[in-house]
Amino acid sequence: MVFDHNGQEVGKHQVEHRQILPGPGLVEHDPLEILENTQAVIRQTMNEKRLTAKDLAAIGVTNQRETTVVWNPKTGQPWCNAIVWQDTRTQAMMARLEQEGKGELIRSRTGLPPSSYFSAGKIRWILDSNPEIAEAARRGEAIFGNIDTWIIWNLTGGKDGGKHVTDVTNASRTMLMNLSSCAWDPELLDLLGIPRELLPDIRSSSEVYGTTRSDGPFGGEIPISGDLGDQQAATVGQACFHPGEAKNTYGTGNFMLLNTGQERVRSKAGLLTTACYRLQNQPTIFALEGSIAVTGSAVQWLRDQLGMIRNAAEIEELANTVEDNGGVYFVPAFSGLFAPYWRPDARGAIVGLSRYATKGHIARATLEAICYQTRDVLHAMEKDSQIQLTVLKVDGGATVNNTLMQIQADILGVPVVRPSLLETTSLGAAYAAGLAVSFWTDTESLRANWKSDRQWVPQWSEDRRESHYAEWQRAVDKSMGWQV
C-alpha cells in the first residue's frame, strides 16, 4: 500500500498465499512464496500508479508476528518452510517448561506464557528436528527471523549484504526478549538452547535500517525505516498513542491491544504484556494484548474445508438468512484457545445442533464466535487495567462485514467504531517509516488524520446479552480437554 501525507490511500495490490497444512495442528508457509508475493504486489502497485522510487519517502514493513523462518544467509535459501504462529507442534515442549517450573521465569521476563504461539519453541523445534540446520547454525549458515526480518533482509540486499534486524514489537513476541531491557535475555536463550548468533539485532520501530537495492522491485534506493508487528502497527494506524486507548483488529485471528504507556502491566487475567512501539530513541511504549487464534480463519475453514461458501464475503448474506443462531454455538479452537484461557488442549466444537439448524445458523454462529471471543478478552482487559472501555475502535478486513460489526456491538454492549481507512495495519507501518524520515513531524499530526466511517450501537437487551454469553461459556467448556 502507498499512502500520502494525509494518511489516504494512493494505491494498493494484494495477493493471498498458500496455507500449507501437513497435519492436524500444523500450519506452514513458503518463505520464498511470501517474498515473491511481496515483490509482485510492490511492482504491481508501482506500475498501476506510475510511481518511481523518487516518489516514495520511505518504506515501512509489517507482518504476522511469531511466524518463524530460518535461512542460509550465504545462499538466501530457507532451510525449511516457515512455521506459522497458529502451529501447535511445540505444545508438548511448552508444557514441559511449565512442569519444570520455568513458566514464571518466562512470564516475568517476557510478559508471555510458555506457548506454542511464540517463536522460541519453533526455533528450537527446527534445530532439534533437522540436525543439518543445527550444524549449519554452528557454521554461521543459518539465521532466524520473523517475516519482517526475512523481508527487510531480502529488500536491503539479501546474501549480498541484507540487514539482519527486527524491532522491539516483533522481538517481544519471540519469548526471548526481556521487556525490562528490550534485549535478548541470555538466561532464556540458554534455557531453550538457542544461539544468540541466530537472532537479529533489536532496533526501534521507527529508524532507518537500510535502503532498498537499486535493482529491486522499487527500482531505486529508498530508506526502509519502519518495522512493526501487525497488531502493533494497527494500534499506531488507529492513533492509539495515549494510555487507555484500545483497538481490535479482525484478521486471520483477532487481536485487541490497550496502550499502557511506559508501564508494563502484568496481567492477572490471561492477557499478554507486549511492546507496543518504540519511536526512534524515545522510550518503549507497552500494551496489554488479548490474542485470539481463530476468527477470520474460521470463515476460511467454512470456505476451503467445508465448501459452505465460495468466498469470505458470502458469510454475511448466509448469516442474514436467519434471525438468530438457532441455539448453535461454534468454538473455533483449531489451535487451542488463546487469551484469556490459554488451553492448548481445546479443539473446535459446534454445539447445540438440532434438525432445525441450517447453514445460516452455522454461518451466524461463526460470526458470533468472533464476537464472543472478543468479549472474553475485553472483560480480561478491563480487570487488568481497571479501565472501562466506552467505545471500541475496530479495523482489519473483516470489518467490512456490517452484520459482524452489529453483532459485536450487541455482544459487547458498547458502541463499535470503524475508521474510514480499514487497512490500519499498513498505515501504521507507513506512519513509523514516515516519522523516521520527518515525512510526519509527530504523533499528534497522525492523530489528526484519523476519521470515523461508521458506528454501531448495541440493540440487544441486557438479558439477551448475558443469557447468550452464558451459553457461549458453556460451549467453551465443552471444547476443552480434547487434545492430551
Side-chain angles (χ1 to χ4, degrees):
M1 294 191 74
V2 181
F3 299 94
D4 63 18
H5 196 267
N6 294 323
Q8 296 300 303
E9 177 187 320
V10 173
K12 73 174 178 183
H13 186 60
Q14 62 185 30
V15 294
E16 188 171 322
H17 56 262
R18 286 179 303 139
Q19 307 300 304
I20 301 167
L21 309 169
L26 307 182
V27 189
E28 299 177 357
H29 291 159
D30 178 350
L32 291 176
E33 182 188 10
I34 290 176
L35 177 61
E36 288 163 8
N37 285 347
T38 301
Q39 293 171 331
V41 295
I42 290 167
R43 290 192 180 99
Q44 180 75 14
T45 306
M46 299 282 282
N47 290 338
E48 275 185 8
K49 298 301 174 180
R50 298 182 180 177
L51 298 170
T52 69
K54 292 178 181 177
D55 296 315
L56 302 181
I59 297 161
V61 173
T62 182
N63 58 295
Q64 285 190 342
R65 310 160 302 174
E66 300 94 20
T67 297
T68 297
V69 188
V70 176
W71 71 95
N72 187 333
K74 296 183 179 177
T75 66
Q77 293 298 304
W79 281 103
C80 56
N81 277 340
I83 302 180
V84 177
W85 62 275
Q86 292 172 312
D87 189 283
T88 60
R89 73 187 69 190
T90 63
Q91 193 171 298
M93 185 193 306
M94 296 299 110
R96 280 196 302 274
L97 288 172
E98 285 283 23
Q99 291 160 6
E100 293 165 2
K102 304 300 184 185
E104 177 55 28
L105 171 68
I106 292 168
R107 287 180 181 87
S108 65
R109 299 283 176 86
T110 69
L112 312 173
S115 170
S116 59
Y117 181 13
F118 307 112
S119 310
K122 304 179 199 298
I123 301 170
R124 186 67 257 160
W125 186 91
I126 289 170
L127 296 176
D128 287 345
S129 303
N130 303 274
E132 73 277 18
I133 302 179
E135 179 57 35
R138 285 188 278 275
R139 298 194 306 267
E141 294 179 5
I143 56 176
F144 151 80
N146 295 129
I147 297 296
D148 65 313
T149 300
W150 168 244
I151 294 298
I152 291 171
W153 186 84
N154 277 286
L155 290 180
T156 55
K159 59 185 171 56
D160 298 321
K163 305 298 182 184
H164 188 215
V165 299
T166 190
D167 89 303
V168 289
T169 68
N170 278 290
S172 75
R173 311 300 292 201
T174 60
M175 216 174 76
L176 297 170
M177 189 189 89
N178 188 310
L179 285 181
S180 297
S181 62
C182 289
W184 301 120
D185 189 288
E187 192 172 352
L188 294 180
L189 293 180
D190 186 57
L191 174 65
L192 286 147
I194 294 173
R196 167 65 185 87
E197 297 72 34
L198 237 66
L199 306 179
D201 293 334
I202 301 174
R203 309 277 281 273
S204 80
S205 312
S206 178
E207 64 177 271
V208 177
Y209 314 113
T211 58
T212 57
R213 295 169 52 138
S214 56
D215 60 350
F218 290 101
E221 295 185 2
I222 310 166
I224 298 181
S225 53
D227 181 15
L228 287 158
D230 52 4
Q231 303 315 317
Q232 288 92 339
T235 307
V236 171
Q238 286 271 37
C240 294
F241 296 119
H242 294 166
E245 294 183 330
K247 68 86 202 177
N248 197 32
T249 296
Y250 297 70
T252 310
N254 264 34
F255 303 87
M256 188 183 296
L257 266 73
L258 175 76
N259 183 326
T260 61
Q262 295 181 44
E263 181 185 2
R264 300 188 303 277
V265 176
R266 178 99 184 255
S267 176
K268 297 176 182 175
L271 301 178
L272 309 176
T273 306
T274 195
C276 193
Y277 57 85
R278 185 168 83 212
L279 303 177
Q280 295 159 290
N281 51 13
Q282 296 175 27
T284 300
I285 301 300
F286 295 93
L288 279 172
E289 175 174 335
S291 306
I292 303 167
V294 178
T295 56
S297 54
V299 178
Q300 291 176 335
W301 180 73
L302 293 186
R303 181 193 68 187
D304 299 339
Q305 264 78 4
L306 297 192
M308 195 176 288
I309 52 176
R310 288 169 298 181
N311 57 66
E314 282 186 10
I315 193 168
E316 181 171 15
E317 183 181 347
L318 187 56
N320 283 330
T321 62
V322 294
E323 292 184 1
D324 54 35
N325 64 16
V328 176
Y329 290 84
F330 176 20
V331 184
F334 300 147
S335 303
L337 288 169
F338 283 15
Y341 302 102
W342 297 106
R343 290 290 298 264
D345 60 329
R347 284 298 177 266
I350 301 176
V351 303
L353 291 171
S354 67
R355 284 287 301 272
Y356 173 68
T358 66
K359 289 193 294 185
H361 292 117
I362 293 174
R364 193 167 191 90
T366 303
L367 297 185
E368 289 187 355
I370 295 172
C371 301
Y372 281 123
Q373 291 181 99
T374 299
R375 176 166 171 173
D376 288 337
V377 166
L378 179 59
H379 280 190
M381 204 163 270
E382 289 176 339
K383 278 185 197 171
D384 277 335
S385 67
Q386 300 301 307
I387 295 169
Q388 200 80 19
L389 284 188
T390 56
V391 65
L392 183 66
K393 285 184 175 181
V394 300
D395 56 66
T399 59
V400 299
N401 186 324
N402 294 326
T403 301
L404 174 65
M405 293 296 96
Q406 182 60 58
I407 293 171
Q408 186 68 90
D410 292 336
I411 284 174
L412 291 183
V414 299
V416 169
V417 180
R418 183 174 68 194
S420 57
L421 183 83
L422 296 185
E423 296 289 355
T424 55
T425 300
S426 300
L427 180 60
Y431 279 165
L435 286 168
V437 298
S438 300
F439 185 72
W440 288 289
T441 54
D442 54 32
T443 55
E444 287 308 306
S445 64
L446 306 182
R447 186 183 292 278
N449 285 343
W450 192 91
K451 294 178 180 63
S452 169
D453 169 54
R454 184 169 170 183
Q455 176 170 302
W456 290 264
V457 295
Q459 294 178 352
W460 285 6
S461 68
E462 189 70 16
D463 284 349
R464 180 180 180 186
R465 183 177 303 116
E466 295 309 316
S467 64
H468 281 241
Y469 186 56
E471 292 293 289
W472 160 257
Q473 291 177 309
R474 286 180 62 203
V476 169
D477 287 342
K478 302 289 185 191
S479 75
M480 294 178 181
W482 287 98
Q483 188 72 17
V484 180

